[in-house]
Amino acid sequence: MMYPLLTMLVVCATLIVVYPPAALAIFLLGAIVTGWAALRKARARAGQRAADALRRDTDVDGSA
C-alpha cells in the first residue's frame, strides 16, 4: 500500500529537481486530489448521518 505513494513522492521530487516549474503543477494536483478526497469524505459522513437519523426516527417494533 505504501509503495505507490513512495514511488509518487520520488517521481515528484525528481520532477521538481529536473524541471522546477513542475512544483506548481504538483502543488495544484495535490490540492485537487486533497480537496476531492475531503469532499468525498464529507459526503459520506453526511449520508451516514442521514441514515442514522432515519434509523432513529423509524420505530423499530412497528408499534407507532
Side-chain angles (χ1 to χ4, degrees), residues 44-57:
R45 284 183 181 162
Q48 186 64 42
R49 271 191 237 116
D52 289 345
L54 184 61
R55 249 184 259 116
R56 277 194 308 270
D57 294 341

Side-chain angles (χ1 to χ4, degrees), residues 24-57:
L24 178 61
I26 291 168
F27 174 77
L28 291 176
L29 181 64
I32 290 168
V33 169
T34 303
W36 179 68
L39 183 61
R40 283 186 58 200
K41 191 171 186 179
R43 285 183 178 172
R45 284 183 181 162
Q48 186 64 42
R49 271 191 237 116
D52 289 345
L54 184 61
R55 249 184 259 116
R56 277 194 308 270
D57 294 341

Side-chain angles (χ1 to χ4, degrees), residues 5-19 22-23 25-27 29-30:
L5 184 60
L6 185 59
T7 303
M8 184 60 72
L9 181 64
V10 170
V11 168
C12 289
T14 304
L15 281 174
I16 291 171
V17 169
V18 172
Y19 186 64
I26 291 168
F27 174 77
L29 181 64

